[in-house]
Amino acid sequence: MKILVLNSGSSSQKACLYEIGETLPIHPPECLWESRIEWDTETAEVTTKANGVTETKNAVVESREQVLKDVLSTMWSGNAPVIGSASNIDTVGHRIVHGGPHFEDPVAITPEVRYAIAAVSAFAPLHIRSELEGVRTIENLLGGVPQMAVFDTGFHRQMPREAAVYPGPYEWFENGIRRYGFHGINHQYCAGRAAQLLGRDLRSLKLVTCHLGNGCSITAIDGGRSMDTTMGFTPLDGLMMGTRSGSVDPGILTFLMREHQLDAAEIDRVLNQESGLLGVSGISADLRDILAGIREGHKRAKLAFDIYVHRIRSAIGGMAAVLGGIDALVFTGGVGENSPEVRAAACGTLGYLGLTLDAGKNARPSLDEDISGSDSLVSVLVIRAEEDWAIAAECWKLARTAALVEVKA
């Protein structure tokens, strides 16, 4: 079965093509073809990889849909085609960032499902608009190929109410204002992968998973179930991020509205685009630039790093308390996988949990490796984020279930 995965964002578009046989492999396979589009106002940078060939070019954006169609068509008509025609694609899976109050499990995209996704667009307007644009593009390019939605909030939908309900008027919860959590696809994947690496039954494990990238979240997982997570009603909540503030006193916002006459759009811009590592350092939202600034003696870069790590430590400790202890701490995402400085700093005060790092392994880890010290009571794992593969696997399961139902009928 050939499964195309689309991961649509407001500023980028990723796509991967996987081939899965009669059984799911234990380890994620390499995709047959992949692409990434970085959108700008009038141009887009397009990178494709297939058959060992990587190509990067700039495209004029007359319409985002046309650019995406042109990129997808390279699977069967480019310089390194991997399939004979568009009809070789069996199903398409979409990462949908917000399932709202209705969706938890992956579902086939029907007109009713598409309408329901659009109905919660106010929760994540830029993402959902891009994701529905991807659904429409596939429909126009590939006709009636089955399309499936996998929800980034789905893993967190079973969080206990004490974690999910905000302490405002209860009507908030009744009207869909609650902690939804995000990065759920990867948090769930990392939990399963951690169980594999440790040779343990997932149902016996208490895990804290740290998804650290441009967006950051930490989740407490008990027996494979999300018990708490740092992101909330929107992806803005929780940890300090690249350009997002994370949690701030809501009184700051009313102060800014009252004393500086900022409106909702201005506050949204400040919190989402002008805060976090960028806002504090004044240098960059990229942690690599922050670390370079520290080496050059830049004081605000050092402050930004210290705040970033402080928030991570605080969240790990809070999640460990929710779980009543942890068996493993997982680092994943671009920063989690690639920054030994962040891992070392984050773990530096966690000795009270019985956690130690192996300095050598932390400095040069292989992905999907335990980097804890030989005397550590807690495993520390570095796990590669495999969000696209997790979506493909869910689509494979859903398609197989649908096929079995048809056979029985």
Side-chain angles (χ1 to χ4, degrees):
M1 182 183 298
K2 290 183 174 62
I3 300 173
L4 174 66
V5 173
L6 261 63
N7 193 333
S8 304
S10 57
S11 60
S12 66
Q13 166 78 65
K14 295 190 295 180
C16 297
L17 180 68
Y18 292 93
E19 184 168 28
I20 307 176
E22 291 299 310
T23 58
L24 278 177
I26 296 175
H27 304 297
E30 292 293 325
C31 50
L32 302 178
W33 170 96
E34 61 182 306
S35 74
R36 184 179 183 92
I37 305 171
E38 296 288 347
W39 300 108
D40 203 343
T41 305
E42 297 180 352
T43 61
E45 183 179 88
V46 177
T47 301
T48 57
K49 297 179 182 179
N51 293 325
V53 178
T54 300
E55 293 184 344
T56 300
K57 63 180 182 179
N58 290 318
V60 176
V61 180
E62 296 182 0
S63 78
R64 286 166 57 117
E65 180 175 341
Q66 188 57 52
V67 173
L68 180 55
K69 283 182 176 180
D70 291 343
V71 172
L72 293 176
S73 68
T74 64
M75 282 185 283
W76 58 86
S77 62
N79 294 328
V82 295
I83 56 177
S85 69
S87 62
N88 295 142
I89 297 173
D90 296 293
T91 189
V92 179
H94 297 265
R95 170 182 174 255
I96 304 297
V97 73
H98 212 305
H102 307 297
F103 294 111
E104 177 179 344
D105 298 322
V107 295
I109 298 177
T110 63
E112 293 77 17
V113 167
R114 190 184 302 192
Y115 177 82
I117 293 171
V120 299
S121 61
F123 293 159
L126 295 179
H127 283 88
I128 289 180
R129 183 181 67 192
S130 298
E131 289 152 5
L132 291 176
E133 183 180 73
V135 173
R136 184 175 63 250
T137 299
I138 291 297
E139 191 174 66
N140 292 338
L141 181 65
L142 303 181
V145 65
Q147 299 193 66
M148 300 177 187
V150 182
F151 300 95
D152 216 16
T153 53
F155 180 54
H156 304 296
R157 289 287 285 122
Q158 294 301 315
M159 280 195 303
R161 281 203 171 188
E162 60 266 28
V165 178
Y166 282 108
Y170 190 72
E171 288 78 8
W172 285 5
F173 183 69
E174 293 177 320
N175 291 321
I177 298 175
R178 54 160 288 164
R179 298 183 65 82
Y180 286 101
F182 298 86
H183 296 144
I185 296 168
N186 194 47
H187 283 298
Q188 186 173 24
Y189 168 78
C190 285
R193 185 68 178 128
Q196 286 181 340
L197 293 172
L198 297 173
R200 296 272 301 275
D201 187 329
L202 178 58
R203 293 170 294 183
S204 72
L205 290 174
K206 297 179 184 293
L207 305 170
V208 174
T209 52
C210 304
H211 180 113
L212 306 178
N214 189 48
C216 302
S217 66
I218 294 180
T219 295
I221 301 172
D222 191 355
R225 178 188 178 192
S226 174
M227 303 302 291
D228 199 358
T229 191
T230 53
M231 284 181 168
F233 179 64
T234 73
L236 182 60
D237 200 5
L239 302 175
M240 179 185 189
M241 307 178 216
T243 62
R244 298 177 198 153
S245 64
S247 299
V248 297
D249 181 348
I252 296 172
L253 311 183
T254 56
F255 174 84
L256 292 172
M257 294 171 69
R258 183 176 62 251
E259 300 297 328
H260 295 269
Q261 289 74 53
L262 267 66
D263 62 20
E266 290 169 322
I267 288 175
D268 185 85
R269 185 191 71 250
V270 169
L271 294 180
N272 280 289
Q273 300 174 25
E274 300 174 2
S275 298
L277 291 172
L278 174 64
V280 175
S281 72
I283 294 176
S284 173
D286 192 317
L287 186 73
R288 292 167 295 187
D289 296 332
I290 300 299
L291 293 171
I294 293 172
R295 290 191 290 270
E296 295 168 2
H298 196 287
K299 292 183 178 179
R300 279 174 54 187
K302 179 64 164 61
L303 177 60
F305 181 84
D306 289 346
I307 297 171
Y308 185 82
V309 170
H310 174 79
R311 292 287 184 102
I312 293 171
R313 287 174 175 167
S314 179
I316 292 171
M319 295 302 173
V322 166
L323 295 172
I326 61 174
D327 296 303
L329 176 66
V330 176
F331 289 97
T332 186
V335 173
E337 296 165 25
N338 297 299
S339 178
E341 297 91 346
V342 166
R343 293 191 298 267
C347 294
T349 60
L350 301 180
Y352 70 95
L353 293 173
L355 184 154
T356 63
L357 282 185
D358 182 307
K361 288 182 178 179
N362 180 52
R364 298 176 297 278
S366 300
L367 291 180
D368 293 15
E369 182 183 10
D370 189 337
I371 62 169
S372 58
S374 59
D375 60 343
S376 185
L377 301 179
V378 176
S379 296
V380 183
L381 306 176
V382 180
I383 295 180
R384 180 180 179 179
E386 290 282 4
E387 192 174 63
D388 294 333
W389 164 247
I391 293 170
E394 291 295 337
C395 290
W396 181 88
K397 294 173 189 175
L398 197 60
R400 297 275 292 188
T401 301
L404 287 173
V405 170
E406 289 180 6
V407 169
K408 290 180 181 180

